[in-house]
Amino acid sequence: MATRAPNGEPDESRLEVSAAPEHSAGPRAVAAAMRHAVGQMGVRRSAATLRRVNQADGFDCQGCAWPDAEAGHRHVAEFCENGAKAVAEEATLRRVDAGFFAEHSVADLAGHGDYWLGQQGRLTEPMVLRPGATHYAPIGWDEAFALVADHLRGLDHPDQAVFYTSGRTSNEAAFVYQLLVRAFGTNNLPDCSNMCHESTSVALTETIGIGKGSVTLTDVETADLIVVAGQNPGTNHPRMLASLEVAKDNGARIISVNPLREAGLGRFKNPQRPRGVVGHGTRLADLHLPIRLGGDLALFQAWGALLLKWGAIDEEFLAEHTVGFTAYAEGLADLDWDKVEEATGLTRDQIEEGAAMIRDSAATVWCWAMGLTQHRHGVATIKEVVNLALLRGDIGRPGAGLCPVRGHSNVQGDRTMGIWERPPVWFLDALEVEFGIPVPREHGLDVVEAIRALSTGAARVFVGLGGNFASAAPDTPVTEAALRRADLTVQISTKLNRSHAVPGTTALILPVLGRSERDLTGGSPQRVTVEDSMSMVHASRGPLAPASPELRSEVDVVCSIALALFAEDHPGSGVPWERLRTDYGEIRHRISRVIPGFDDYERRIDQPGGFVLPHPPRDARVFPTAAGRAVLTVSPLDVLDLPEGHLLLQTLRSHDQYNTTIYGLDDRYRGIRNGRRVVFVHPDDVADLGLAGGDLVDLVAVWGDGVERRADRFRVVPYDQPRGCAAAYYPETNPLVPLGSVAVGSNTPTSKSVVVRLEPHGGGR
Ligand code: SF4
């Protein structure tokens, strides 16, 4: 039987620290997955639900965006440990109903952390917090939609509203959401991608003409070399390890570039294989480069300089398909190696060893995630990855390519559907033609800009389609104050989270179906679609009965708001919202007429596994950039100076976490049990700072705006990494990330490079 939610906050005094393991997965991962699943769903529901996840006739895992194996080549258990946790969190038997809200005031909820809030369960009915009230109270759906419509119509201008999207939103819900927002008259469509892979989208669009990765699963599994930089697949994309293992079986080599030697790239004990259950598993990384935070740009430039020096470049590809080679080569001609070693924290030998592996590779796949994107030079760093791939001709041929691994299951799909504050002109033109409505042309607000607008009152309404904005965003006190300043906050959610405890003057919680649940909107079974990191689009159908009869689908909620909002004299009323609400096939039909690559959409998602979207660089070495070719770029070498006695902190996930959803209090792959308020610091830095393992410290961020940002009560954990670097979990450390500290060109918060000092807390011990 499923367990009751924890009553109190985690007791950090029970924290245990041990050595980090050198392997990942294995029987312990299976046990952890089952323990979590049964704890949330009970035995029978766990069995019934997990056997449908990631199956061709099942539903898509709500976790990350790693692609599924080809239909017909899937296991009975086609999920990883963290996938099981993600499913269990949504399919939990725990419920948050009106009684719960009567028991817990907003102030009480605000006193709890993300773990406790998330463990309370699924929301069951619409709730409203009226001005001056202390508790949420039930509200009817129609009254709720009317309330949203009244607030939106009451604005002086549509740009006074912000419409946020989390990457779990399906293609169908995302498409009608952006249509609602644009019909209303704004492009204020910030999304979680602004905080994670925006640097990727900007860099790739400028250099290869499309903001998406260029590989397939087969490319990864048949590559000669795989570079995994700034990514921790063991926790964040665990099924990727199985593909890396297949690649190893095929003779591939792997380079891991990461400040931390993560267990996920050590030995992989694949529980689907005997050697993963009883044997030692498969060693993945052949070379680990413990790079200093933010040193990746310098490393990639050094690799470029060595490949040029060795003549290990694909001259034919460069001549035929690229521009900018001369300037690039000249830019690296007199690379400052002292600066490179300072920036990377690596020796020249280590750097050359990596370059030699690239030189000797016939086909290389370049993988990355937040460790590259969340730095002030994140865009430039990813352009350097592209430079290396272009030097080697690693685009548009088998076993090679660019592989940014997306964090959220449909974050790439949402962007494809138009969830973008800076939409391309062709998309807006196509919308106008398809629906006969005028759409706004001025770019909207991204996440950082939206927080600023809410802070100043320039924006007065916040609508969140999924997600947990209050905890995901940087500079937590600023973000929370901004949300509280809003006239109205609307959270369209499946589970209780911190954003519900940070309401505007009026606040609505609108509970929706999860991806694991049957959707009978309009009286017939509906299916939705998602797009993974490799541009594969496939269908997802939830098998479970909804957690509550009151729940509605995201599509239903969005279309119902539109129906309440647009009076007959508003152009938006010309959109067939009721038809779209009750027939998702009609939504897909409209998508296929507005967005290239979705023709014959309905028939193609009938095929097991779905279909792949076009990617001109991958498909034909065609680069739809302004130059009509792939672009090599030149970026200045950027070394971050650290003041004496300070550390450079990266915020990261534990193994029991997915974005701001906290599954549990352990981080098995780093030797942490029963606690989250820990800071990992190199043992010599611990000593130099006059501290010891286990000491209680406060983290104080240092940034040029004179504001003191603090996060208190962290235990010091001595942990191997480059000197001067540190690591701690978010959202606990998001208060340290200044709103203004962003990546140049993408405005992505620099959550991987926060300058901090450690202060003993109340005497330290
Ligand atoms: S790898 Fe990602 S998508 Fe696949 S099961 Fe695990 S969490 Fe889910």
Side-chain angles (χ1 to χ4, degrees), residues 54 61-66 78-80 82-83 236-240:
N54 291 334
C61 168
Q62 306 85 337
C64 78
W66 187 255
E78 191 58 41
F79 54 87
C80 71
N82 281 0
N236 303 331
H237 314 96
R239 278 188 304 154
M240 178 175 170

Side-chain angles (χ1 to χ4, degrees), residues 258-443:
N258 194 316
L260 305 179
R261 184 187 286 274
E262 299 283 19
L265 285 169
R267 277 184 297 108
F268 171 49
K269 291 187 161 190
N270 185 343
Q272 310 262 17
R273 292 192 178 185
R275 72 172 182 233
V277 177
V278 292
H280 293 295
T282 303
R283 172 154 298 286
L284 295 180
D286 299 278
L287 174 64
H288 172 64
L289 296 175
I291 196 154
R292 201 167 158 257
L293 286 167
D296 306 81
L297 183 139
L299 172 65
F300 300 148
Q301 289 191 343
W303 279 350
L306 289 166
L307 294 172
L308 288 167
K309 182 177 155 214
W310 297 338
I313 62 174
D314 186 335
E315 291 179 7
E316 191 185 333
F317 174 86
L318 289 162
E320 193 178 338
H321 296 291
T322 73
V323 291
F325 175 76
T326 307
Y328 171 74
E330 285 167 3
L332 292 180
D334 47 9
L335 185 73
D336 181 340
W337 274 94
D338 293 339
K339 236 178 158 184
V340 166
E341 292 189 1
E342 180 200 344
T344 60
L346 301 171
T347 64
R348 181 152 182 165
D349 288 349
Q350 287 175 303
I351 295 171
E352 289 200 359
E353 185 179 353
M357 290 170 72
I358 298 166
R359 176 198 60 205
D360 301 339
S361 162
T364 302
V365 167
W366 305 83
C367 304
W368 71 86
M370 301 312 99
L372 298 195
T373 64
Q374 296 178 330
H375 291 276
R376 71 178 182 204
H377 50 244
V379 174
T381 301
I382 292 154
K383 286 181 175 179
E384 290 298 344
V385 176
V386 176
N387 283 338
L388 290 169
L390 297 178
L391 276 187
R392 302 287 301 166
D394 280 332
I395 296 189
R397 63 189 178 88
L402 301 168
C403 183
V405 187
R406 306 275 174 174
H408 228 312
S409 54
N410 198 39
V411 65
Q412 185 162 309
D414 293 342
R415 186 54 61 92
T416 303
M417 290 299 117
I419 300 293
W420 194 2
E421 75 284 353
R422 288 179 286 113
V425 172
W426 68 262
F427 179 79
L428 299 176
D429 291 346
L431 271 186
E432 283 192 348
V433 170
E434 180 62 22
F435 293 99
I437 56 170
V439 296
R441 298 289 166 156
E442 205 180 310
H443 286 173

